[in-house]
Amino acid sequence: MKRGAGIALTAAVVAAALGVGYWLGGRGNFHEAPPAAQTAAGEPAKKERKLLYYRNPMGLPDTSPVPKKDPMGMDYVPVYEGEEDSEPASAGQIKISVDKVQKLGVKTEAATLRQLTRTVRAVGRIEPNERRVYTIAPKFEGWIEKLHVNATGDLVRAGQPLFEVYSPELVSAQREYAIAAQGVDAMREAHGEAQAAMKELAQSSLIRLRNWDITDDELRRLRQTGEAKRTVVYRSPVRGFVLEKPALKGMRFMPGEVMYKIADLSTVWLIADVFEQDIGLIKPGQKAKVVIDAYPGREFEGRVDYVYPTLNTPTRTVPVRVEMANPDNLLRPGMYAQIRLATSATAGKVVTVPDTAVIHSGRRQVVLIERGEGRFEPRDVKLGLHTDDYIEVLEGVAEGEKVVVAANFLIDAESNLKAALGGFGGHAAHGGAAPKSEGQPSQTAPAAGGHAGHGVAPMPGAQPAASAGHRGEGTVEGIDAKAGLLTLNHGPIDTLKWPGMTMNFKVANEALLAGVKPGMAVAFEFVERAPGEWVVTRIEPRAQSGASEHKGH
């Protein structure tokens, strides 16, 4: 019995050992399952990004395989696989993140071929059409017996009686003609020589009366009745307005003395004063648009009739005559008018860009060419004719190239356009070895969403890089933060050959005014954003010399 029980116990131990071994073997096989099955059961492993290089924080064409700082103290930005641009930035280009391009509201437009039409504007005055002005002046001596039109400005009809005159000479000439006419009738059957003499006398009397402007109706009556009238009626030769009336009842007049001046105002002249530089664009026959101050919102039309050959020296203008129809008599002599003349400024099509595409720096003109997403190339251009909306480009831009037409000045502030432009002249574009100032950093125009002071060339006291802007020193006279205006009493500006003066500047961003107070002595940089519009892009206390240390990163 004992032996049987021992065998049974031994069998049970062996079976248990076999079970444990089978279980351990199965577990070992589970650990050796394919990695795919194991990954499916758990979370997917995260792939580590591959670092490619470090790029310049201002988008300049400068990279580094190891971390570093630029001369302004800004850290270079790491670029990982998948984030690099399709092509590296070339020298002289500006590089801005796509995010900031969208925030700045950058817009581009292709340079196109077009025939430029320029609008010449001038001011002028309405005058009577000299071809339709008439004067009534008797050719004999006499007295005014009666006035039928007795007021200046009256409208008269053609043939309407104006005044009656008495003249002894006229009465005598009438009688002479009447006798001669009767003599001709009486001597029809007389000798040929006597009849010819009488006819000659009658003819000379008739010519004398006609030379005195006696009408055919009066001469016919005189021949029929043979009666000389004491007075003769003068009538208006045209329908028009009485401009002048020296005639007075009972006055004596001498031959050639003007009694009435009448103007037909159905057409009038506009004499416009066109500036000397625009006169080459004006040709007879051109259509003109005219606005009269007396009739706001209404536009009249005319046509250039004549360009006068003389120049008004004090005003440097040339008179141009525009003929205009005046059926309603709304246009009255003496009225002031504004005139617009659309002229063909170019003989054919030329390469043009919108006027907003050009950045004026005083000594040069620059446009920004789009070279891809976030890439812009500043390029000097030579400009030709300017119109209201477009500018002819003689050199620097080819047809089809996209130029920045909106936010180009903000790109300037954001990406240090001055530094990129400096590269054209062989100077350091950005971040030259300039000493840092201890103390308060300078104020610079910040980008949308960025920080102040990015990539601004050193102010006076450091070695400046080539720049599209100008530098000066002065004293703050006033600040209008709401309007973004800064009044500076500055010293001479050598780059513009300006003397010292007090003038207003706009500021590129209101952040520039932080810490600036009236009476503070400052050094500043500015550019010409548009003709005559000077904008401060950087300002700092004048005690600061050299480049300011960049902060805020």
Side-chain angles (χ1 to χ4, degrees), residues 264-553:
D264 177 6
L265 299 180
S266 59
T267 64
V268 294
W269 285 351
L270 168 60
I271 306 300
D273 298 318
V274 176
F275 285 109
E276 180 181 4
Q277 63 266 26
D278 296 327
I279 201 64
L281 301 173
I282 308 301
K283 300 291 185 296
Q286 288 178 330
K287 291 184 178 180
K289 302 291 186 181
V290 180
V291 175
I292 305 294
D293 294 341
Y295 308 109
R298 182 167 181 177
E299 190 173 70
F300 299 83
E301 290 189 358
R303 188 176 297 273
V304 175
D305 180 56
Y306 185 68
V307 179
Y308 286 81
T310 56
L311 174 73
N312 188 332
T313 305
T315 61
R316 309 305 301 175
T317 58
V318 175
V320 173
R321 187 170 72 216
V322 177
E323 188 167 325
M324 303 175 62
N326 186 28
D328 301 326
N329 293 318
L330 295 177
L331 306 179
R332 301 174 184 182
M335 283 183 169
Y336 281 105
Q338 300 174 18
I339 180 174
R340 290 184 289 113
L341 292 163
T343 63
S344 295
T346 56
K349 291 186 176 181
V350 294
V351 177
T352 62
V353 297
D355 59 346
T356 56
V358 181
I359 300 175
H360 298 270
S361 67
R363 293 176 298 172
R364 62 200 297 188
Q365 288 79 38
V366 178
V367 299
L368 296 177
I369 307 294
E370 185 182 40
R371 288 300 189 187
E373 290 191 358
R375 295 176 186 277
F376 304 95
E377 176 187 339
R379 191 180 295 173
D380 280 344
V381 291
K382 183 178 178 181
L383 304 179
L385 190 68
H386 292 234
T387 65
D388 292 342
D389 301 314
Y390 290 93
I391 300 177
E392 177 187 5
V393 180
L394 301 175
E395 296 177 8
V397 178
E399 179 190 4
E401 288 189 304
K402 289 188 175 182
V403 298
V404 179
V405 298
N408 44 9
F409 184 73
L410 295 177
I411 292 177
D412 180 351
E414 168 64 24
S415 59
N416 191 18
L417 177 59
K418 299 182 184 70
L421 289 170
F424 290 150
H427 301 281
H430 171 73
K436 296 181 182 178
S437 302
E438 298 297 332
Q440 182 181 358
S442 64
Q443 301 293 326
T444 58
H451 300 274
H454 289 213
V456 179
M459 292 292 288
Q463 296 297 324
S467 170
H470 312 280
R471 297 186 176 93
E473 295 184 351
T475 305
V476 178
E477 295 287 335
I479 299 173
D480 187 346
K482 186 176 180 180
L485 291 177
L486 185 64
T487 303
L488 294 174
N489 181 3
H490 63 75
I493 307 296
D494 294 337
T495 54
L496 292 172
K497 297 182 180 180
W498 283 1
M501 67 180 85
T502 299
M503 60 183 291
N504 292 330
F505 293 84
K506 290 187 177 181
V507 291
N509 192 290
E510 61 181 8
L512 285 170
L513 300 177
V516 178
K517 299 179 180 179
M520 179 183 290
V522 294
F524 61 98
E525 284 186 0
F526 64 98
V527 298
E528 187 179 19
R529 179 163 58 185
E533 184 181 11
W534 303 98
V535 182
V536 172
T537 57
R538 172 172 177 159
I539 187 169
E540 66 179 0
R542 193 161 56 190
Q544 300 288 335
S545 60
S548 301
E549 183 176 355
H550 181 83
K551 295 185 180 182
H553 286 274

Side-chain angles (χ1 to χ4, degrees), residues 165-189:
V165 299
Y166 161 73
S167 171
E169 289 182 81
L170 183 58
V171 173
S172 176
Q174 290 182 80
R175 287 176 179 172
E176 182 180 317
Y177 172 68
I179 293 171
Q182 291 173 1
V184 170
D185 292 338
M187 299 181 66
R188 286 181 180 176
E189 298 179 358

